[in-house]
């Protein structure tokens, strides 16, 4: 698993492809619109001009590079994680320059990317990532199958954001519903070219439908694994009771 995920990793690395399919499968067939709205919403949150403005203003006010003042798809993972870590560390509770990040934290919580706990404590393992982790463990249970420990789930909060961005911008049916005027454009040449390929070059056109078709195949196996795990827990509990 690459330490940092980019466009090529998410659509080329087998375990990241698996995570992407499983992510789609968390929503039922009749909930496709809900999944698409999740993808579009997360894209608009994480690529919004508002968030970029907050990052730049924060960096200017506190004189640090905690929140980078540019955003390019070439190193998008670093930028997503720098912002998420600033939110999770609770800096917006202590630093007046970062207070507006509370709005972003609430929006990310609503999308299951982070979890807002008591007293402003934020975990980068939101409800969506937790559910993915549960299914990942259920579908990769036996070390012997892999001649070593089972593979670790390669996704984190930043990867979820990137999956959403690439899917929303790379598929016309979704891109037409994204409020593109609210998004910030990449400021580096590599990122600029990547966004042009996504929005104009049809680089990923059709991949959204392909992933959802794969999800329809995988979803029953995910649910069967969960049902089997629950049955095993009840059986073990019954044995203990005896």
């Amino acid at each position: 698993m690459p330490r940092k995920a980019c466009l090529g990793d998410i659509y080329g690395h087998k375990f990241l492809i698996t995570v992407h399919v499983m992510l789609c499968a968390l929503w039922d067939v009749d909930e496709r619109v809900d999944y698409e709205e999740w993808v579009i919403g997360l894209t608009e949150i994480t690529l919004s001009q508002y968030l970029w403005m907050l990052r730049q203003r924060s960096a200017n006010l506190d004189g640090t590079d905690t929140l980078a003042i540019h955003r390019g798809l070439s190193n998008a993972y670093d930028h997503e994680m720098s912002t998420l870590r600033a939110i999770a560390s609770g800096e917006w509770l202590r630093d007046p320059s970062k207070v507006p990040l509370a709005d972003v934290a609430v929006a990310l919580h609503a999308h299951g990317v982070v979890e807002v706990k008591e007293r402003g404590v934020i975990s980068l393992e939101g409800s969506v990532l937790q559910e993915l982790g549960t299914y990942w463990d259920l579908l990769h249970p036996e070390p012997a199958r892999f001649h070593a420990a089972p593979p670790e789930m390669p996704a984190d909060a930043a990867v979820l954001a990137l999956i959403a961005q690439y899917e929303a911008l790379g598929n016309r049916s979704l891109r037409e519903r994204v409020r593109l005027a609210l998004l910030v454009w990449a400021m580096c040449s590599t990122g600029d070219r990547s966004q042009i390929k996504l929005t104009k070059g049809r680089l990923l056109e059709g991949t959204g439908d392909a992933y959802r078709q794969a999800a329809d195949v995988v979803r029953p196996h995910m649910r069967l694994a969960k049902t089997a795990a629950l049955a095993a827990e009840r059986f073990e509990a019954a044995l203990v009771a005896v």
Side-chain angles (χ1 to χ4, degrees):
M1 165 61 197
R3 293 185 63 185
K4 298 177 182 178
C6 64
L7 179 62
D9 297 322
I10 287 175
Y11 285 89
H13 190 278
K14 62 180 180 180
F15 289 141
L16 283 169
I17 292 173
T18 302
V19 163
H20 195 163
V21 172
M22 291 172 63
L23 175 65
C24 295
L26 294 182
W27 283 263
D28 284 330
V29 176
D30 59 355
E31 295 176 334
R32 174 168 177 167
V33 174
D34 294 332
Y35 171 71
E36 292 175 346
E37 290 299 323
W38 180 85
V39 166
I40 292 169
L42 186 54
T43 297
E44 291 185 346
I45 294 168
T46 54
L47 290 184
S48 70
Q49 294 178 18
Y50 175 70
L51 179 57
W52 181 87
M53 178 271 294
L54 293 180
R55 295 161 72 168
Q56 183 180 39
R57 184 175 66 180
S58 174
N60 290 340
L61 289 176
D62 64 21
T64 71
D65 59 357
T66 300
L67 301 180
I69 63 172
H70 65 290
R71 194 209 66 73
L73 285 176
S74 58
N75 55 348
Y77 182 89
D78 287 338
H79 290 285
E80 293 298 342
M81 284 308 299
S82 68
T83 304
L84 289 167
R85 285 175 180 147
I87 292 173
S89 67
E91 291 182 32
W92 50 277
L93 289 171
R94 301 181 294 273
D95 185 342
S97 71
K98 298 182 177 64
V99 168
L101 286 173
D103 296 335
V104 182
V106 171
L108 291 173
H109 173 78
H111 283 73
V113 177
V114 304
E115 182 176 357
V116 180
K117 301 182 178 181
E118 295 180 358
R119 298 182 180 180
V121 175
I122 295 179
S123 168
L124 292 183
E125 292 188 8
S127 58
V128 171
L129 202 61
Q130 291 175 30
E131 191 171 5
L132 271 178
T134 296
Y135 281 116
W136 183 272
D137 292 340
L138 289 174
L139 296 175
H140 299 85
E142 301 175 16
R145 269 188 82 181
F146 304 96
H147 307 292
E152 294 183 5
M153 188 179 74
D156 55 23
V159 167
L160 292 184
L162 293 181
I163 287 176
Q165 293 169 19
Y166 296 148
E167 187 163 343
L169 297 180
N171 292 272
R172 181 179 178 182
S173 62
L174 297 181
R175 186 170 62 250
E176 289 178 341
R177 292 153 56 190
V178 176
R179 294 176 293 178
L180 295 174
L182 301 181
L183 306 188
V184 65
W185 198 261
M187 296 180 65
C188 65
S189 59
T190 302
D192 179 72
R193 289 195 299 271
S194 297
Q195 280 185 302
I196 289 176
K197 290 177 181 178
L198 286 171
T199 58
K200 304 293 184 181
R202 300 171 59 86
L203 178 65
L204 299 177
E205 190 62 53
T207 55
D209 288 335
Y211 273 96
R212 282 185 279 279
Q213 290 172 10
D216 291 341
V217 175
V218 170
R219 188 181 297 107
H221 298 284
M222 292 169 58
R223 294 189 172 169
L224 181 61
K226 190 171 186 177
T227 300
L230 292 174
E233 289 179 4
R234 293 193 186 99
F235 180 71
E236 292 176 2
L239 284 179
V240 172
V242 171

